[in-house]
Amino acid sequence: MGGSCVFIANNDFPRKISKDMKQLGLDVSGFEGKQLAYIDCYSGTAGRTSSEKYGIQVLTDLTGLGMQISSAASALGQGTTFFFDSLAPLFASLKPDPIMTFVHSIGARIKGQGGNLYFSVGTGLDNDTMTRLEGLSDCIIELETVERRGISSRRLRVKKIRGRKHFEKWVEFSVEAPQGIVFYRRK
């Protein structure tokens, strides 16, 4: 859409993420190194050397990750969107307080440059940690898988949007190539 973005990858290798996007009909190879950058937080954990311009060797190096985020933001310019997939490995390795401080400060820095920070977390967080994380967030989208009559489906709802009214109803969806996310209405 003409903007720039950074994908912070700590759940898989950046090349695998690009390949998965291509299978969904989104070929990002023409944008890599120009409008799209990866911060590789996964290769070091897997004992491999990253081929990405930005990266950290140790997942729990929040200072190094903050520096890589700042470098990528400077290189890609104002309004860069950041996608962090996922915070879950950090919560599995560190106590919640430094992660909360990191998310708050990085989010503020990105927002100060006219950008946005999107992140995912798993369902394994305790209620207090989840509540604190939700308090830092401007928008919360919940995803879940449900089973009805032996058929599994995915659904989402917008739980929170700061400063806006919204409907908090669950909506079923699927991810299909080449459309992307397809929403289903109940009849």
Side-chain angles (χ1 to χ4, degrees):
M1 295 174 49
S4 57
C5 70
V6 174
F7 194 103
I8 304 166
N10 69 356
N11 270 335
D12 213 337
F13 298 103
R15 295 300 111 216
K16 173 80 168 58
I17 293 166
S18 290
K19 183 180 173 185
D20 290 348
M21 283 193 270
K22 190 171 186 174
Q23 288 179 334
L24 287 172
L26 183 62
D27 185 1
V28 297
S29 59
F31 300 102
E32 292 174 355
K34 299 171 190 148
Q35 292 172 272
L36 169 64
Y38 291 97
I39 298 177
D40 187 352
C41 304
Y42 189 78
S43 293
T45 302
R48 293 171 63 185
T49 303
S50 178
S51 61
E52 300 301 322
K53 181 176 181 179
Y54 307 102
I56 57 172
Q57 282 299 111
V58 179
L59 172 66
T60 57
D61 180 8
L62 297 180
T63 301
L65 179 55
M67 292 170 48
Q68 293 299 298
I69 289 170
S70 293
S71 294
S74 294
L76 293 172
Q78 294 285 322
T80 299
T81 300
F82 286 77
F83 297 94
F84 198 134
D85 185 28
S86 151
L87 293 178
L90 292 176
F91 282 108
S93 302
L94 297 170
K95 293 187 182 294
D97 287 342
I99 300 168
M100 298 294 178
T101 301
F102 176 77
V103 169
H104 180 71
S105 64
I106 290 300
R109 195 175 329 159
I110 290 168
K111 199 184 256 188
Q113 293 182 333
N116 293 297
L117 171 63
Y118 298 91
F119 58 85
S120 63
V121 294
T123 57
L125 297 180
D126 64 79
N127 288 338
D128 180 58
T129 301
M130 187 62 84
T131 300
R132 291 173 57 205
L133 195 56
E134 288 178 358
L136 294 174
S137 303
D138 291 335
C139 178
I140 300 166
I141 300 172
E142 291 183 312
L143 304 170
E144 73 177 11
T145 302
V146 294
E147 190 171 318
R148 288 191 196 108
R149 296 182 213 132
I151 299 173
S152 187
S153 65
R154 293 189 277 183
R155 63 186 196 163
L156 66 78
R157 74 174 173 169
V158 177
K159 184 175 179 182
K160 169 187 171 182
I161 296 183
R162 192 179 311 248
R164 295 186 188 180
K165 290 186 177 190
H166 66 284
F167 296 103
E168 205 173 306
K169 293 184 180 180
W170 288 98
V171 178
E172 289 189 18
F173 75 97
S174 64
V175 179
E176 301 174 16
Q179 300 96 330
I181 298 177
V182 177
F183 294 99
Y184 301 102
R185 294 186 327 186
R186 285 200 173 167
K187 293 180 180 182

